[in-house]
Amino acid sequence: MSLEATVDVIGAGPSGLATALGLLEQGHKVKVYDRLGEPVDPADPKIWSAEAGGVEKFYLIGLGGRGQKALKDLGVWDKVSEYCSEVVGRKDWSPGSEEGVERIFTDRPYTTMVLPRDKLVGALYQEVLKKGDGDVEFFFGKDVEVIDFGEAEGNSVQLTVNDCVPAASGPNEGECDVTTVNTVKRSSDFVVAADGAGRSIAEKVATIEKYVDDNVRIYKTIPLKLPADDKDWNWKLNFSARTGDGRFNLDALPASKNGDYCAVMLLKEDDPLAKEGADPDVMREDFDRILPQFSQLISDDVMKRVAAKPVSRLPSFRYIYPRLHRGKVVVLGDAAHSVKPYFGLGANSALEDVIALTDCVKERGLSCGAAEEFSKKRAGEAKALVKLSRGFDRPGKLGFATFILPLILDGIFHGMLPKLFSPNTIAMLQASRTDSSGEAISYTFQEVVSIKRFDRVKQAALVSGVLYAMGKTASLCLGGLATLLRRSKLSVGIASSLVLFFGLAARRFYSSFSDNSAGEVLAKTETDINGKKISKKKKFEDNESFMMSARQKQRERDGG
Ligand SMILES: Cc1cc2nc3c(=O)[nH]c(=O)nc-3n(C[C@H](O)[C@H](O)[C@H](O)COP(=O)(O)OP(=O)(O)OC[C@H]3O[C@@H](n4cnc5c(N)ncnc54)[C@H](O)[C@@H]3O)c2cc1C
């Protein structure tokens, strides 16, 4: 290993490799370390199809406006997009419904592009090798620790590099066991800790703010093979279904352009299927009963493999604060902020970190000043991202108050007065505005927080104003009526309230027995994230008949 001083990047995930690209572009020399082995070839078809038995080992990353812009700035979007599949809309099955509701996105300035995480890593790795030529070195199977952060004037960062040997057996089989047999010490001018949610380096940089996970979900990924030329399965949609009791949640995105999909099955911890070595027959029965539309897409062989494999945990909500640097070491990506991936912001925001860092280094060189500047730009963003995302993930009534109710309110107010009230938070996280040069840029997470806070103030002011005006009008009317009837204001007020109350009660009683009750109309509709009403299809009364028609279709496809 060379002793020449360079930038050392710890972690060859999306953040580490993108950082390497940005710094190579500026003419720096880069060394990249990862505990794992060399990334796989993103173009190797043997790895990526459901039949090859590989897809269930990976999960997919959706790249939205944030990630795509960052990769364009790094000059690699053309390459990465070769391995992506586009997603133009969603098809959702609400609990128990037979037919999904399809919605094509028309409100986004970009098309979401999806690819397996390991394909993204493979593509970035190839680009780093190409761009780096003699200026980049990779060390796989190495675990790096920071011993000295180079805080004192003129000091370098001190690292130790150890071998990582995959455990041959036991509960951590295949995972990295660090051995200190061949420990190498290194000094470095500047270090980027992109070591993911494990964040061993971040712990020594600043305080880790972690939230207790009160809504634990674990997941297994399932490869699906979608039929060709079937109007029920448009290969450019994000499919999702869930059960009303919150037990099952399935979300599927395209893993290739050939109808290979990768579904993430989210389960509660105590679910009988949420374990390694689950019973594949029970899993099949559950799928047939609860998610028959997906069951038909999973062969018995795949079902067995999925039931057998270990479960994975979603990352928990954490961020480091108040800074993302110490001396000449910066922390970015999942190491700096981790969120559950429901809204596809982890890798996208990690790539935004990378652009912020390369801008700081461009201005201030590989210095403590650049590291400090990076903290100023991104520490607030890390905090805002995690706090926003956590608000979307509270259980029960708290979830209603922090997630559903704000969505409903925003749907109503933005629908009524779109110039005065912004769309809901999820839409705002995906929305963009134009900067001074006319380029479309996403709102920062801190901007979204303050826009939504201001919206709440305006909503409260509007509601109070309307209630006040109604109160005043009612008081005037009561006064007039009392004079007319020669009764006191109080007795007229009580009498009118009783008439109103019994009138409403009678209307409700009547309407609950009529064919078109308000409740039924509500039950037949639901709103999308923009508050627009979408119709819900008829209830699943007999899954068996659906399964029969699904199996018939499968037989026809198989030529049987
Ligand atoms: C199921 C699922 C779905 C997701 N979907 C999306 C999505 O749609 N959109 C989105 O934007 N994000 C998504 N994410 C989040 C996304 O995967 C992460 O945000 C992203 O991978 C973070 O990249 P990273 O490089 O910071 O960290 P990682 O990808 O975790 O990479 C860290 C690397 O560092 C290495 N490492 C760790 N410690 C050391 C050490 N001490 N020495 C050397 N190497 C080390 C690890 O081996 C690893 O290769 C999803 C995540 C999950 C789990």
Side-chain angles (χ1 to χ4, degrees):
M1 196 180 294
S2 151
L3 290 180
E4 186 182 306
T6 54
V7 182
D8 289 69
V9 178
I10 306 171
S15 322
L17 292 169
T19 304
L21 266 176
L23 296 179
L24 284 167
E25 179 69 33
Q26 292 179 19
H28 300 292
K29 287 189 187 300
V30 180
K31 290 186 192 297
V32 186
Y33 307 83
D34 202 290
R35 307 171 110 202
L36 305 176
E38 192 174 5
V40 289
D41 179 357
D44 183 348
K46 291 195 293 297
I47 304 175
W48 304 105
S49 76
E51 293 90 351
V55 179
E56 73 266 29
K57 295 187 193 121
F58 310 105
Y59 61 84
L60 303 180
I61 286 186
L63 293 169
R66 296 169 191 278
Q68 291 181 28
K69 177 166 187 324
L71 292 170
K72 274 179 199 153
D73 290 353
L74 291 167
V76 283
W77 176 240
D78 286 348
K79 193 72 212 165
V80 170
S81 62
E82 277 176 27
Y83 301 110
C84 290
S85 310
E86 57 177 356
V87 174
V88 299
R90 303 181 56 89
K91 185 166 179 178
D92 300 295
W93 284 263
S94 41
S97 75
E98 184 179 349
E99 282 177 63
V101 175
E102 208 170 292
R103 188 163 57 90
I104 302 297
F105 305 135
T106 51
D107 52 350
R108 297 187 183 173
Y110 57 84
T111 304
T112 301
M113 303 293 271
V114 180
L115 79 173
R117 176 203 177 269
D118 295 23
K119 254 190 199 184
L120 172 61
V121 167
L124 289 172
Y125 175 57
Q126 289 185 348
E127 287 300 291
V128 174
L129 286 177
K130 217 193 295 167
K131 182 158 279 174
D133 208 0
D135 289 338
V136 67
E137 278 181 89
F138 278 96
F139 303 93
F140 292 112
K142 302 286 178 194
D143 179 273
V144 182
E145 248 188 274
V146 179
I147 305 302
D148 184 322
F149 287 78
E151 285 157 292
E153 189 69 28
N155 274 14
S156 312
V157 184
Q158 303 300 319
L159 308 171
T160 55
V161 183
N162 288 307
D163 285 343
C164 230
V165 183
S169 59
N172 298 329
E173 188 181 331
E175 284 181 25
C176 165
D177 255 352
V178 180
T179 73
T180 48
V181 180
N182 297 316
T183 302
V184 173
K185 290 199 170 137
R186 258 195 60 73
S187 42
S188 171
D189 273 353
F190 200 85
V191 169
V192 179
D195 52 337
R199 61 170 71 73
S200 53
I201 296 155
E203 277 163 11
K204 296 186 199 158
V205 166
T207 309
I208 306 223
E209 303 280 353
K210 43 183 151 184
Y211 290 101
V212 175
D213 192 350
D214 48 15
N215 202 12
V216 178
R217 288 287 183 282
I218 50 141
Y219 73 92
K220 286 192 177 191
T221 48
I222 309 176
L224 306 174
K225 188 76 189 172
L226 262 51
D229 304 323
D230 184 331
K231 68 176 174 40
D232 287 341
W233 296 106
N234 174 348
W235 288 359
K236 291 185 177 178
L237 295 185
N238 176 182
F239 298 104
S240 92
R242 68 203 149 85
T243 55
D245 57 6
R247 180 190 164 200
F248 245 80
N249 197 317
L250 201 105
D251 200 75
L253 283 161
S256 77
K257 297 182 180 90
N258 310 321
D260 294 303
Y261 261 61
C262 177
V264 175
M265 172 175 66
L266 282 178
L267 296 162
K268 290 186 180 167
E269 251 181 328
D270 54 0
D271 195 281
L273 299 182
K275 60 176 185 199
E276 183 173 355
D279 184 334
D281 294 333
V282 173
M283 193 156 164
R284 171 68 77 192
E285 274 165 31
D286 278 345
F287 264 78
D288 278 357
R289 190 167 40 81
I290 313 172
L291 302 169
Q293 66 274 46
F294 291 105
S295 192
Q296 55 172 323
L297 305 173
I298 307 170
S299 68
D300 287 342
D301 178 43
V302 168
M303 197 63 98
K304 262 191 212 143
R305 290 202 313 252
V306 172
K309 75 174 178 171
V311 290
S312 306
R313 276 178 178 272
L314 290 180
S316 48
F317 293 103
R318 290 182 196 188
Y319 61 95
I320 70 165
Y321 204 72
R323 55 173 194 266
L324 305 182
H325 81 289
R326 180 170 164 193
K328 297 183 200 86
V329 178
V330 298
V331 182
L332 48 69
D334 269 18
H337 43 75
S338 57
V339 292
K340 292 191 187 172
Y342 302 144
F343 302 99
L345 290 169
N348 282 283
S349 58
L351 292 169
E352 286 185 319
D353 288 346
V354 172
I355 297 301
L357 177 66
T358 50
D359 286 350
C360 295
V361 171
K362 197 173 183 179
E363 257 177 44
R364 313 194 54 165
L366 294 170
S367 62
C368 289
E372 203 176 327
E373 192 57 32
F374 172 73
S375 269
K376 276 191 203 147
K377 282 191 180 176
R378 297 298 294 175
E381 282 297 274
K383 181 178 174 180
L385 164 68
V386 175
K387 290 198 134 194
L388 271 174
S389 311
R390 188 177 190 241
F392 299 152
D393 188 49
R394 308 312 305 277
K397 287 181 185 143
L398 209 52
F400 180 81
T402 59
F403 184 43
I404 309 286
L405 185 63
L407 285 189
I408 296 172
L409 287 176
D410 288 333
I412 296 170
F413 284 97
H414 176 68
M416 266 185 336
L417 298 165
K419 291 226 163 83
L420 189 61
F421 297 103
S422 61
N424 66 58
T425 313
I426 301 169
M428 285 300 290
L429 288 169
Q430 288 150 354
S432 59
R433 60 182 164 82
T434 40
D435 67 5
S436 50
S437 63
E439 201 188 347
I441 50 164
S442 303
Y443 288 97
T444 66
F445 301 122
Q446 291 168 95
E447 278 171 342
V448 174
V449 169
S450 64
I451 290 171
K452 291 319 298 176
R453 225 174 250 160
F454 191 39
D455 269 353
R456 298 286 167 254
V457 172
K458 287 184 288 183
Q459 287 167 5
L462 187 70
V463 170
S464 319
V466 169
L467 287 178
Y468 179 76
M470 282 167 65
K472 270 273 174 219
T473 314
S475 162
L476 275 175
C477 293
L478 274 182
L481 205 58
T483 319
L484 201 71
L485 299 173
R486 296 195 188 159
R487 291 277 185 276
S488 74
K489 239 184 181 180
L490 182 67
S491 53
V492 173
I494 292 173
S496 331
S497 305
L498 286 173
V499 169
L500 195 67
F501 174 79
F502 284 113
L504 285 176
R507 187 157 176 260
R508 190 176 166 75
F509 180 77
Y510 169 76
S511 65
S512 66
F513 287 97
S514 74
D515 282 347
N516 274 315
S517 72
E520 263 195 309
V521 174
L522 271 179
K524 281 177 196 154
T525 61
E526 63 179 38
T527 52
D528 68 12
I529 60 166
N530 288 318
K532 288 183 190 142
K533 284 189 170 177
I534 49 179
S535 76
K536 203 161 137 192
K537 297 285 165 56
K538 84 180 175 63
K539 289 260 170 193
F540 238 174
E541 278 166 18
D542 182 3
N543 276 344
E544 210 45 47
S545 65
F546 178 76
M547 280 309 298
M548 278 165 65
S549 76
R551 293 221 187 282
Q552 177 64 30
K553 269 191 193 170
Q554 178 82 43
R555 274 198 297 278
E556 280 165 18
R557 272 199 301 275
D558 295 347

